[in-house]
Amino acid sequence: MDDWKLAPARDLDLAGLPRYQSLRRESGLVESLARLVVWTGVRAALRLLHRMKVHGRENLPRSPSFVMAANHSSHLDALILGAAVPLALRDNVFPMAAGDLFFKNRRVAALVTGLLNALPVWRRAPGAHGVRDLRRRLVEEPSIYILFPEGTRTRDGAMGPFKAGIGMMVAGTSVPVAPCHLCGAFEAYPPGSVVPRLHRITLRIGEPLTFTSAANNPDGWRQVSRAIEEAVHGLAASAGR
């Protein structure tokens, strides 16, 4: 048995906005308790207001690390996927959030990191180093990433093509990816809306995919992205059967 070692937090040298923006951010007790309250409330609200149903919850891996990849149509999406994860794993859940939208203002960044544990993805200039850091954390630490490979919310309800970024994170690794499809989130809270509408939401979770043999290069990234996109389309098609 290895000797127990005390190590300082990796974000000990960071404070304020730089800490919120950091991909090596760690959680404290207060944040963990706040997330317990938040995720409990989110679950209750989604069930009460949107009659949320989850199909295929048993397909989620029982322990981190893994990725949940879904179509993106609403600001409710990350909350819906996060609510499907057991509360015991709440501190391992990391929704990917647009850096230019949620991590420019200190107060907003404090809110999404403290309550949701979100990590920033910079859409306009993400940089390969940022994706590599996300990949390293996913592989080396127990993490559950909530990703929307389209890169932005749909404006008409139709699912757009998946970008290769998700492939950069998982190609050549043993990290499972659970394809997910959201139905009703666009109608419940479409882009431009201020207040969510009372509309039924259904989340379908497919069998996880792994890409250990995929090459960690542009061709491999595109291969991974296409496979996940096809799996999500398959879940969407199954909704009509």
Side-chain angles (χ1 to χ4, degrees):
M1 187 180 200
D2 295 336
D3 292 335
W4 181 81
K5 295 180 180 179
L6 178 65
R10 290 164 308 156
D11 59 354
L12 193 62
D13 59 328
L14 299 174
L17 191 58
R19 177 178 177 270
Y20 304 140
Q21 294 175 341
S22 175
L23 299 180
R24 56 190 174 94
R25 189 184 69 246
E26 296 188 20
S27 298
L29 177 60
V30 173
E31 292 169 320
S32 179
L33 292 175
R35 289 180 201 126
L36 175 61
V37 174
V38 167
W39 285 116
T40 300
V42 166
R43 283 181 165 202
L46 289 172
R47 290 170 181 166
L48 177 64
L49 301 177
H50 299 288
R51 295 165 290 163
M52 187 181 80
K53 297 289 185 182
V54 180
H55 300 283
R57 195 192 303 267
E58 67 278 4
N59 288 324
L60 287 179
R62 295 194 175 185
S63 60
S65 289
F66 61 88
V67 175
M68 300 175 73
N71 56 307
H72 196 17
S73 56
S74 166
H75 280 320
L76 293 175
D77 294 348
L79 298 178
I80 298 165
L81 268 65
V85 178
L87 286 175
L89 299 177
R90 66 188 180 279
D91 289 331
N92 300 114
V93 176
F94 296 95
M96 300 293 112
D100 54 297
L101 187 60
F102 295 103
F103 286 87
K104 287 290 191 179
N105 179 279
R106 179 172 175 170
R107 292 182 179 178
V108 175
L111 189 66
V112 297
T113 57
L115 300 183
L116 300 179
N117 214 16
L119 290 175
V121 174
W122 302 95
R123 296 181 294 186
R124 295 177 182 173
H129 67 282
V131 178
R132 284 196 300 267
D133 288 344
L134 287 168
R135 175 187 171 102
R136 186 179 303 113
R137 178 163 195 158
L138 185 63
V139 171
E140 296 178 357
E141 303 176 36
S143 304
I144 302 169
Y145 283 1
I146 293 176
L147 289 174
F148 302 104
E150 293 162 275
T152 188
R153 290 171 296 158
T154 179
R155 292 305 189 266
D156 59 6
M159 191 171 79
F162 283 14
K163 300 182 184 300
I166 189 169
M168 296 174 70
M169 290 188 199
V170 301
T173 77
S174 59
V175 176
V177 178
C180 303
H181 180 260
L182 287 160
C183 180
F186 179 78
E187 291 79 6
Y189 198 24
S193 295
V194 177
V195 179
R197 304 165 184 167
L198 301 182
H199 193 280
R200 182 187 296 275
I201 292 173
T202 302
L203 168 62
R204 289 178 171 81
I205 303 172
E207 295 184 5
L209 309 172
T210 54
F211 301 95
T212 52
S213 61
N216 188 21
N217 61 33
D219 287 339
W221 304 337
R222 287 189 289 269
Q223 172 193 339
V224 170
S225 176
R226 284 194 298 269
I228 297 170
E229 182 178 348
E230 289 174 3
V232 176
H233 274 296
L235 292 170
S238 71
R241 295 201 292 265

